[in-house]
Amino acid sequence: MAQKIPTRLYLSEDEIPKYWYNLRADMKEKPDPILHPGTLRPASAADLEAVFCKEPVAQELDETTRLIKIPDGLLDFYKAYRPAPLIRAYFLEKALGTPAEIYYKHEGTNTSGSHKLNSAAAQAYYAKEEGLDSLTTETGAGQWGTAMAMACAFYGLDLTVYMVKISSEQKPYRKALIETYGANLIPSPSNTTEAGRKILERDPNTNGSLGCAISEAVERAVKTDKCRYVLGSVLNHVLLHQSIIGQEAKAALDKYNIKPDIIIGCAGGGSNLGGLIAPFMAEKLAGTSHTRFIAVEPASCPSFTRGRYAYDFGDTAKTTPLLRMYTLGNGFIPSANHAGGLRYHGMNPILSKLYRDGLLEARTAVQTDVFDAAVRFAKIEGILPAPESSHAIKIAIDEALECKRTGEKKTILFGLTGTGYFDMTAYMSYNAKTMGDYIPTDEDLARGFASLPDIPQNKSR
Ligand SMILES: *Cc1c(COP(=O)(O)O)cnc(C)c1O
């Protein structure tokens, strides 16, 4: 008789994976190298170490080591909130009347409320080991700033967070939470950096932007002794740290011999999705599985589905190294959207390569459909999802309903990246029916593409 599958597929503390999985090691076709924006040659470790911590830089450039040990001093911190639950969505299956089996990996059980703590803790751990005193970063929606503040409090590092000014005003509780954990929060643009002062001179009433906050954080890191900058997504080492999500999910599913047919995740910069799918993609690359992988992005910021595969800067101020990725152009300004964590112009290079090679699919969802799915999920499964995560919920529901239509009994796994407690303004707008959907026109996109660097590497393709 088939084994009864519990609602929560538990792993014990001892079963937390001891290794991150580096998907690039198993890709025969590797992503293109990161380029130094001045020389247009592959960036060296020394180039990157001017801004980032040493060990993450080594991980960024490592495309051959399959398994990378999670340091013991970091595993101890992970044990405070991991393993993250893997949940069988029995209630949702029943409500939809689908023959599909639905599972979700819940990364929102820690106080920061999202998966971002997995990489924040790793980056703070390495900074401390390296003998640094402080870190800088930026935050838009606030989840990354919160995660870094928690991690720096734990490892005893000072942290300065440049928070996009409009968000610091619209999300006072996020700001308060970051400050409660002891970080120095500066609304950006500010007069603490040259980059900030320049922008304020031009436009004293600006709302700020992620690109500007990145420039300020990088400038402060470079100019401060024993200080580096940390980034919460997009880069390959962040995706590596997030592979703990997939490693745990796979360990729990393997106990019950469950093989997902479809794995779905929302995609902002791509780290959570990349981390969730990594060990499953390994089997697909080896030819031992036929799992489908689906990235879900907001229709308002469609990097995969309408972007270009090109070398681009990670920030609007054009200061970072160049990454070859699906991008809308560093100058693309997404319309206001409540899924702040998904409003990024580019996509991680590993995922971009997999998408290019047909191993990863991508879909878009409009905001009101996403919130329909979010509220449905909250009422049925009990958890209030983050707007970002709800993109994955929307497509998981669509796939489950497709199974109902065809009678197929597929197994669906999706990533629930976080909870939505700090997103009540968004839920209020949905409840009041004032929420809109904006889909950029081709002209809007053309303006973004015009900001792509004019370099030979972007012409020959
Ligand atoms: C930041 C964030 C995302 C986007 O994650 P990426 O790894 O950048 O794709 C998704 N969900 C939540 C809750 C987030 O905070």
Side-chain angles (χ1 to χ4, degrees):
M1 211 189 89
Q3 194 176 6
K4 160 89 174 134
I5 295 163
T7 305
R8 286 182 169 232
L9 290 75
Y10 277 108
L11 289 180
S12 72
E13 182 173 300
D14 295 337
E15 291 169 309
I16 296 178
K18 307 287 183 293
Y19 292 87
W20 289 305
Y21 168 58
N22 182 8
L23 179 57
R24 270 175 300 172
D26 287 326
M27 289 169 70
K28 279 183 206 83
E29 297 257 345
K30 312 281 187 205
D32 287 343
I34 300 176
L35 300 183
H36 184 288
T39 62
L40 300 183
R41 308 273 315 149
S44 68
D47 293 337
L48 299 174
E49 283 168 9
V51 176
F52 298 102
C53 302
K54 275 204 173 74
E55 195 57 37
V57 166
Q59 294 169 348
E60 187 64 32
L61 299 176
D62 185 343
E63 40 179 54
T64 52
T65 314
R66 284 188 83 244
L67 295 176
I68 295 180
K69 192 173 169 358
I70 302 173
D72 290 338
L74 175 57
L75 261 185
D76 287 343
F77 181 74
Y78 278 174
K79 283 176 190 166
Y81 71 99
R82 306 199 69 84
L86 180 73
I87 301 172
R88 170 84 183 262
Y90 278 117
F91 297 125
L92 182 61
E93 290 170 16
K94 190 161 174 237
L96 297 175
T98 177
E101 289 184 11
I102 307 173
Y103 299 85
Y104 57 96
K105 182 74 172 159
H106 183 6
E107 289 291 326
T109 58
N110 69 80
T111 296
S112 81
S114 85
H115 66 282
K116 292 201 173 70
L117 190 57
N118 301 328
S119 184
Q123 296 192 54
Y125 171 85
Y126 287 126
K128 191 69 185 180
E129 284 289 292
E130 191 181 327
L132 301 176
D133 297 331
S134 64
L135 293 172
T136 69
T137 197
E138 80 291 337
T139 200
Q143 289 96 310
W144 172 246
T146 312
M148 272 316 302
M150 288 177 71
C152 285
F154 186 80
Y155 287 108
L157 291 157
D158 285 338
L159 173 70
T160 299
V161 180
Y162 286 92
M163 185 167 189
V164 177
K165 194 173 109 206
I166 182 89
S167 297
S168 73
E169 288 163 5
Q170 287 175 346
K171 292 186 143 187
Y173 296 124
R174 267 283 171 210
K175 177 170 180 280
L177 181 58
I178 293 170
E179 289 175 334
T180 301
Y181 275 100
N184 170 27
L185 189 145
I186 303 177
S188 167
S190 74
N191 57 18
T192 66
T193 63
E194 243 157 69
R197 283 190 292 270
K198 244 188 227 160
I199 291 168
L200 284 175
E201 245 167 59
R202 248 185 291 143
D203 180 4
N205 297 319
T206 175
N207 286 332
S209 69
L210 209 50
C212 168
I214 294 177
S215 311
E216 289 204 272
V218 170
E219 181 182 328
R220 188 188 185 102
V222 173
K223 288 185 177 168
T224 308
D225 196 33
K226 291 196 176 184
C227 179
R228 293 290 185 280
Y229 165 74
V230 288
L231 190 60
S233 187
V234 193
L235 295 177
N236 296 327
H237 67 270
V238 183
L239 193 144
L240 175 77
H241 303 153
Q242 296 299 354
S243 69
I244 185 99
I245 304 173
Q247 294 274 79
E248 271 185 18
K250 188 159 189 318
L253 291 174
D254 281 349
K255 280 191 173 182
Y256 298 91
N257 246 322
I258 300 163
K259 303 264 179 236
D261 297 301
I262 306 173
I263 304 182
I264 301 165
C266 63
S271 73
N272 86 80
L273 173 68
L276 173 67
I277 70 175
F280 300 97
M281 183 61 83
E283 296 183 332
K284 176 135 166 170
L285 291 171
T288 56
S289 96
H290 297 286
T291 306
R292 285 173 54 207
F293 302 92
I294 306 175
V296 191
E297 52 188 19
S300 60
C301 191
S303 316
F304 272 133
T305 48
R306 295 174 71 196
R308 298 233 176 109
Y309 189 46
Y311 269 106
D312 195 9
F313 291 98
D315 67 324
T316 321
K318 304 183 193 257
T319 56
T320 67
L322 297 170
L323 305 174
R324 187 156 189 229
M325 58 185 175
Y326 278 86
T327 175
L328 296 166
N330 58 74
F332 176 76
I333 302 166
S335 63
N337 176 298
H338 290 293
L342 304 184
R343 292 179 72 213
Y344 184 71
H345 64 274
M347 197 54 74
N348 166 269
I350 298 174
L351 289 189
S352 291
K353 179 70 179 149
L354 293 169
Y355 181 69
R356 178 78 164 179
D357 292 347
L359 290 153
L360 171 68
E361 303 165 37
R363 294 211 207 144
T364 59
V366 297
Q367 184 161 242
T368 47
D369 288 351
V370 165
F371 276 81
D372 285 343
V375 170
R376 193 170 188 183
F377 182 82
K379 288 177 178 165
I380 296 169
E381 287 286 318
I383 299 168
L384 185 81
E388 291 88 352
S389 321
S390 305
H391 288 70
I393 297 174
K394 152 79 180 133
I395 298 301
I397 290 176
D398 285 356
E399 287 293 329
L401 290 175
E402 178 62 14
C403 287
K404 180 176 178 177
R405 200 180 63 78
T406 61
E408 281 175 290
K409 191 180 176 309
K410 289 187 181 157
T411 300
I412 299 168
L413 166 65
F414 73 87
L416 184 73
T417 49
T419 45
Y421 308 137
F422 288 98
D423 298 284
M424 296 322 295
T425 313
Y427 280 96
M428 280 159 68
S429 160
Y430 175 79
N431 292 337
K433 301 197 170 30
T434 56
M435 180 175 275
D437 292 316
Y438 186 75
I439 301 176
T441 62
D442 289 342
E443 292 74 52
D444 293 336
L445 295 188
R447 272 194 293 279
F449 295 140
S451 65
L452 286 171
D454 189 14
I455 58 173
Q457 284 81 350
N458 279 348
K459 293 217 175 82
S460 53
R461 326 223 184 214

